[in-house]
């Protein structure tokens, strides 16, 4: 392929030696562009991939002057290899780890009793959240906010109790030979970042920059004094803030360029994508490929159904199975199984260890929280689903899932669909429709009501997964939207 004008501009900017941020919209060939940059210079480079599969694919595409690895791979070579013995340790329940660290009894905060198991889960999540940040020490804001304890004063009380144990856990992890806490890959990544490592390279390419954890961002930006930094990604696809990811692109100090021509879909779908980009206040707009005949309209037999939530995915799986379809689920059924098992425990009078539901002693308390507490409204669809079908029917549906390659239709959340594409896609009805979202803002129609940025970005990711035909489904504006 001949490079587009935008790709040529990116190559020219790269050759000046300036730091570069490349906003690359859905399907615009960002990896192709990065390989173009690498193949037009004799300098040595490093490519930081988002995950191992992307790194492996990149090795077959980049010249041998560029090393393609994940940040975890670099951290393992520098630090993690010393902890190999602990990395291979067997799993153990969180309550046993908490007990070994001194968490031996329940406490009461507000009107909630936190069991030793709940406290142990929370302290281990605190350490994990710390590992995703650029912070030097574990502090209160690393302590997760638990369902039912969202109030600031209650969270402060929880943090005061947990922080000594979380710091003890981090100290435990420093021993390369043995310890109470199960050692995992994010632990040695954080340890490596704390050493302020220098990556020996002439230029450093960061892929999927919009979803970079602060710990990786810190390492990347610290190379500025000796290496040319090039980050590529799509700020409008920054949908992982809830797990600590951060869009580092929009505020990056460097030349800002874009890739806006999508090779995945045609102009009609690009127009739909641009409506959501407008609502997300994104710094890019797309043009579609004239040679790709993508259509918007009803889809009878989709290749994929994309949902906003795990609960929405669970509903779609059961509906499609009832219709006789062979259904696959992106990422497998573990998350759905865990939710259904948690519901069964609560309905049978047992407390659950699911982190989202751990503070609720009964199903009735969860029903009341979902119905009446503003912080619990997002759980209402889950409660309705369980009350309608029962947890056993949901668990049975999970066991009937088949591998994606053999499935007639794949169900996925929009989060897990990122980076994927299908020929025919349908949007599930658990997305929130928006009045006039189907009308471009420049045609004199009533402007859409304000949309949460995250919701608009999630919709943008969902609508750009298709190549041939898209059924907007739940994103179609309703009369009362």
């Amino acid at each position: 392929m001949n490079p587009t004008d935008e790709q040529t501009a990116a190559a020219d900017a790269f050759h000046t030696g300036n730091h570069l941020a490349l906003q690359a919209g859905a399907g615009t060939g960002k990896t192709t562009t990065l390989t173009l940059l690498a193949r037009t210079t004799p300098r040595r480079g490093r490519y930081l991939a988002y995950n191992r599969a992307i790194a492996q694919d990149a090795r077959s595409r980049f010249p041998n002057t560029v090393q393609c690895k994940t940040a975890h791979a670099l951290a393992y070579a520098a630090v993690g290899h010393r902890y190999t013995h602990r990395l291979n340790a067997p799993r153990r329940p969180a309550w046993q780890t908490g007990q070994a660290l001194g968490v031996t009894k329940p406490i009461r905060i507000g009107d909630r009793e936190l069991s030793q198991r709940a406290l142990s889960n929370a302290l281990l999540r605190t350490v994990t959240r710390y590992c995703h940040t650029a912070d030097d020490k574990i502090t209160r804001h690393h302590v997760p906010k638990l369902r039912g304890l969202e109030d600031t004063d209650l969270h402060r009380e929880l943090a005061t109790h947990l922080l000594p144990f979380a710091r003890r856990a981090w100290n435990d992890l420093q021993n390369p030979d043995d310890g109470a806490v199960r050692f995992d890959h994010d632990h040695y990544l954080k340890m490596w970042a704390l050493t302020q490592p220098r990556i020996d390279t002439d230029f450093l390419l960061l892929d999927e920059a919009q979803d970079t954890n602060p710990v990786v961002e810190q390492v990347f930006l610290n190379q500025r004094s000796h290496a040319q930094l090039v980050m590529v990604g799509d700020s409008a696809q920054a949908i992982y803030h809830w797990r600590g990811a951060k869009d580092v692109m929009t505020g990056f100090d460097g030349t800002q360029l874009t890739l806006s021509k999508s090779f995945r879909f045609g102009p009609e779908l690009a127009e739909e994508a641009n409506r959501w980009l407008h609502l997300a206040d994104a710094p890019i707009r797309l043009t579609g490929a004239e040679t790709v005949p993508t259509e918007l309209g009803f889809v009878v037999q989709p290749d994929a159904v994309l949902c906003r939530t795990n609960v929405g995915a669970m509903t779609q799986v059961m509906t499609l199975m009832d219709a006789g379809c062979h259904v696959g689920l992106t990422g497998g059924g573990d998350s759905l199984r865990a939710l259904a098992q948690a519901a069964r425990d609560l309905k049978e009078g047992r407390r659950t260890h699911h982190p989202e539901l751990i503070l609720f002693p009964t199903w009735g308390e969860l029903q009341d929280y979902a119905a009446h507490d503003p912080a619990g409204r997002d759980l209402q669809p889950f409660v309705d689903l369980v009350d309608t079908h029962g947890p056993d029917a949901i668990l049975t549906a999970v066991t009937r899932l088949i591998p994606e390659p053999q499935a007639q239709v794949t169900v996925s959340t929009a989060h897990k669909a990122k980076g994927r594409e299908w020929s025919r896609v349908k949007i599930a009805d658990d997305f929130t429709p928006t009045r006039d979202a189907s009308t471009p803002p420049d045609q004199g129609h009533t402007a859409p009501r304000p949309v949460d940025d995250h919701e608009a970005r999630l919709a943008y990711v969902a609508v750009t997964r298709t190549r041939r035909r898209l059924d907007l489904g739940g994103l179609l504006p309703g009369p009362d939207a």
Side-chain angles (χ1 to χ4, degrees):
M1 290 178 59
N2 292 324
T4 66
D5 290 344
E6 290 176 325
Q7 290 171 328
T8 300
D12 291 343
F14 175 69
H15 293 142
T16 67
N18 293 332
H19 303 304
L20 175 62
L22 192 57
Q23 288 280 356
T28 57
K30 63 183 177 67
T31 305
T32 300
T33 304
L34 290 180
T35 57
L36 170 68
L37 305 187
R39 290 184 182 280
T40 55
T41 180
R43 296 181 297 155
R44 297 175 304 114
R46 299 277 193 124
Y47 169 84
L48 283 183
Y50 188 66
N51 58 40
R52 185 185 301 177
I54 293 174
Q56 290 174 339
D57 177 68
R59 290 187 193 110
S60 67
R61 304 176 68 173
F62 278 89
N64 57 17
T65 52
V66 177
Q67 293 186 28
C68 303
K69 293 185 177 182
T70 63
H72 282 90
L74 296 179
Y76 182 83
V79 175
H81 68 277
R82 300 200 295 266
Y83 294 84
T84 301
H85 173 70
R86 290 190 67 173
L87 277 167
N88 295 326
R91 293 186 180 276
R92 64 188 304 189
W95 70 266
Q96 289 184 1
T97 302
Q99 191 172 60
L101 294 169
V103 181
T104 58
K105 59 185 180 181
I107 65 169
R108 178 168 288 276
I109 296 179
D111 60 357
R112 300 283 181 187
E113 180 177 286
L114 280 75
S115 67
Q116 186 255 358
R117 293 173 185 260
L119 292 168
S120 299
N121 276 314
L123 88 85
L124 293 178
R125 288 172 63 196
T126 299
V127 174
T128 298
R129 286 161 59 94
Y130 163 67
C131 288
H132 293 162
T133 71
D135 301 330
D136 292 335
K137 297 179 180 179
I138 300 177
T139 60
R140 189 176 72 202
H141 76 271
H142 300 122
V143 177
K145 290 193 173 181
L146 302 183
R147 293 278 192 178
L149 293 180
E150 294 91 347
D151 178 80
T152 300
D153 290 338
L154 297 178
H155 180 261
R156 183 182 293 110
E157 188 176 344
L158 173 65
T160 299
H161 181 80
L162 282 183
L163 283 176
F165 298 108
R167 290 164 182 156
R168 192 176 301 167
W170 183 245
N171 289 334
D172 173 275
L173 289 164
Q174 308 310 304
N175 186 340
D177 300 316
D178 196 18
V181 184
R182 188 172 191 269
F183 197 95
D184 71 27
H185 299 279
D186 283 345
H187 295 144
Y188 67 72
L189 177 66
K190 180 62 176 179
M191 293 174 182
W192 176 62
L194 288 171
T195 68
Q196 298 187 336
R198 174 190 170 100
I199 300 175
D200 184 23
T201 187
D202 296 323
F203 62 89
L204 185 60
L205 309 175
L206 177 65
D207 199 1
E208 299 290 348
Q210 79 283 348
D211 284 328
T212 301
N213 281 339
V215 65
V216 176
E217 175 199 6
Q218 178 190 50
V219 172
F220 177 77
L221 294 179
N222 282 350
Q223 314 309 311
R224 174 181 285 272
S225 62
H226 69 274
Q228 182 184 11
L229 304 183
V230 179
M231 57 172 61
V232 61
D234 185 352
S235 292
Q237 293 192 51
I239 58 175
Y240 285 109
H241 290 177
W242 53 275
R243 71 179 191 193
K246 178 183 176 184
D247 174 21
V248 302
M249 298 194 67
T250 50
F252 181 64
D253 182 13
T255 302
Q256 301 270 346
L257 294 175
T258 60
L259 298 178
S260 62
K261 181 177 180 179
S262 181
F263 302 99
R264 180 181 299 159
F265 44 75
E268 188 176 2
L269 197 137
E271 185 179 356
E272 176 64 27
N274 286 338
R275 292 166 192 149
W276 295 104
L277 289 169
H278 168 74
L279 292 173
D281 197 25
I284 193 172
R285 298 293 183 271
L286 299 180
T287 58
E290 296 287 349
T291 57
V292 181
T294 313
E295 299 175 327
L296 272 64
F298 187 69
V299 175
V300 179
Q301 293 181 315
D303 300 304
V305 178
L306 304 186
C307 308
R308 180 182 171 275
T309 64
N310 281 321
V311 173
M314 190 185 299
T315 303
Q316 286 295 321
V317 165
M318 298 187 71
T319 300
L320 289 164
M321 284 183 175
D322 287 345
C325 292
H326 298 294
V327 183
L329 182 68
T330 300
D334 288 348
S335 60
L336 303 191
R337 183 181 296 109
L339 276 170
Q341 288 172 337
R344 184 170 64 182
D345 286 343
L346 290 175
K347 288 179 79 69
E348 293 179 356
R350 298 187 299 271
R351 296 196 80 129
T352 176
H353 307 310
H354 194 288
E356 280 290 290
L357 308 177
I358 199 167
L359 292 189
F360 300 98
T362 66
W363 182 251
E365 283 214 19
L366 177 59
Q367 287 174 312
D368 183 68
Y369 175 78
H372 303 296
D373 193 314
R377 285 176 184 163
D378 62 314
L379 288 173
Q380 190 62 57
F382 168 65
V383 171
D384 291 342
L385 183 74
V386 173
D387 285 341
T388 300
H389 297 281
D392 289 339
I394 298 169
L395 288 167
T396 298
V398 172
T399 64
R400 293 171 55 199
L401 291 167
I402 62 175
E404 281 190 62
Q406 286 82 53
Q408 291 174 287
V409 58
T410 294
V411 174
S412 177
T413 62
H415 287 94
K416 291 178 182 175
K418 205 169 139 195
R420 304 282 301 276
E421 58 182 65
W422 293 271
S423 181
R424 296 165 300 173
V425 173
K426 181 175 182 177
I427 307 298
D429 58 9
D430 64 334
F431 280 85
T432 303
T434 304
R435 181 183 297 279
D436 294 327
S438 61
T439 303
D442 58 353
Q443 292 187 3
H445 293 271
T446 303
R449 69 181 181 188
V451 177
D452 177 83
D453 283 354
H454 176 77
E455 293 295 324
R457 289 193 297 269
L458 204 59
Y460 163 66
V461 170
V463 302
T464 55
R465 299 307 97 197
T466 190
R467 296 190 301 270
R468 290 292 179 263
R469 190 170 179 87
L470 173 68
D471 186 337
L472 283 168
L475 287 176
L476 284 171
D480 299 321

